[in-house]
Amino acid sequence: MTSSELWSRATAERYDAEETEMSSAAVLGPTVAFLAELAGDGRALEFAVGTGRVGVPLRQRGVPVVGVELSEHMAAVLRRKIDEDTLPVVIGDMATTVVPGEFTLVYLLYNTITNLLTQDEQVECFRNAARHLAPGGRFVIELGVPPLRFLPPGQVAVPFDVSERHLGFDTFDLVDQILVSNHLARDGEDGRYRRSNSRHRYAWPAELDLMARIAGLELERRVADWDGAPFVQDSAKHISVWRKPS
């Protein structure tokens, strides 16, 4: 088992309700189109498939999808949406779990590579992706750029959402590259605030490129969003595509 923190039943049950924006047609449309084009006529493997936010609509588009998911609670929510024969899910971690067969696409979205809290495990995740890819296949990661340039001198916290129903801020351990995402969210029923946090190991695009090289993959493309906007100095995130040589 890796260092990834397990999603609890309570967190899994409310996940979809808290991620309505990321599940909107405006977000999923370009995401699914991007991934479907890369998958082509082959199969896709989603690391950390979760509740099927992307895997289910990608399967509905006609791409055969298999998921790997560490949390049985997240997988149980997915199973209410689609049956096992249509979208199989293997319970296990994304760094070591092996799924039978080859894939033209392996993808890992929404910052989830950072759930692996050590560099060694992140390298193993790349190796695991390469292990599953057919020659010419692609590995795709969606990841935010660490917002360290927003840190005032002497401070280690950066707010990312200050709204009526949610306060979110990240704190940074600059030595071990650990980010703690802190949340205060107000529940709709009683108006009380619920506190939660999660730990992540942030990584820079260049560091991921080196991990890919260790795994035998080559950078093919890097863009700022699913619509293909150029990745520039001020980009808040990147979509990176690495290719397994033919």
Side-chain angles (χ1 to χ4, degrees):
M1 183 174 175
T2 69
S3 60
S4 295
E5 296 174 348
L6 275 171
W7 292 78
S8 67
R9 183 187 302 275
T11 303
E13 290 293 339
R14 62 174 179 260
Y15 180 83
D16 287 345
E18 293 180 345
E19 296 295 343
T20 53
E21 180 180 353
M22 293 298 294
S23 301
S24 66
V27 173
L28 285 180
T31 304
V32 171
F34 190 107
L35 296 173
E37 181 179 359
L38 291 180
D41 296 328
R43 299 196 302 159
L45 175 63
E46 180 172 359
F47 286 166
V49 67
T51 65
R53 179 184 67 90
V54 174
V56 171
L58 184 60
R59 182 65 186 92
Q60 292 170 341
R61 191 180 174 104
V63 177
V65 178
V66 179
V68 171
E69 175 54 45
L70 184 61
S71 169
E72 294 187 22
H73 301 301
M74 296 288 278
V77 175
L78 178 149
R79 194 51 64 221
R80 298 172 197 162
K81 306 173 183 178
I82 194 166
D83 63 77
E84 175 72 17
D85 290 337
T86 306
L87 201 166
V89 174
V90 178
I91 300 299
D93 70 82
M94 54 191 164
T96 63
T97 300
V98 177
V99 176
E102 286 188 329
F103 298 82
T104 57
L105 173 67
V106 179
Y107 63 97
L108 176 57
L109 308 183
Y110 204 13
N111 303 321
T112 312
I113 183 71
T114 66
N115 288 5
L116 298 169
L117 299 179
T118 70
Q119 186 182 68
D120 285 344
E121 288 177 341
Q122 291 178 352
V123 169
E124 288 306 311
C125 182
F126 273 82
R127 284 176 166 157
N128 200 28
R131 181 181 299 124
H132 287 90
L133 284 173
R138 276 93 169 190
F139 182 35
V140 176
I141 282 183
E142 175 189 25
L143 182 60
V145 177
L148 300 189
R149 62 193 180 92
F150 296 116
L151 283 175
Q155 299 297 311
V156 294
V158 174
F160 59 85
D161 184 27
V162 180
S163 60
E164 183 180 352
R165 306 196 66 84
H166 180 250
L167 170 64
F169 62 95
D170 294 329
T171 56
F172 294 86
D173 177 340
L174 302 180
V175 174
D176 293 327
Q177 290 186 211
I178 296 296
L179 173 160
V180 179
S181 184
N182 301 274
H183 303 265
L184 283 173
R186 190 166 71 177
D187 289 325
E189 295 180 0
D190 57 14
R192 294 183 178 180
Y193 280 88
R194 172 174 38 82
R195 181 180 179 180
S196 62
N197 61 66
S198 57
R199 298 170 67 227
H200 307 267
R201 183 188 184 273
Y202 63 85
W204 301 95
E207 185 180 6
L208 297 184
D209 289 342
L210 184 55
M211 294 180 189
R213 288 179 60 187
I214 291 171
L217 304 176
E218 303 170 347
L219 180 66
E220 181 177 74
R221 184 184 183 195
R222 174 167 291 131
V223 293
D225 59 32
W226 295 107
D227 291 314
F231 179 73
V232 297
Q233 179 173 313
D234 294 331
S235 297
K237 74 171 185 179
H238 61 97
I239 316 295
S240 295
V241 181
W242 296 274
R243 184 176 182 274
K244 184 174 183 176
S246 299

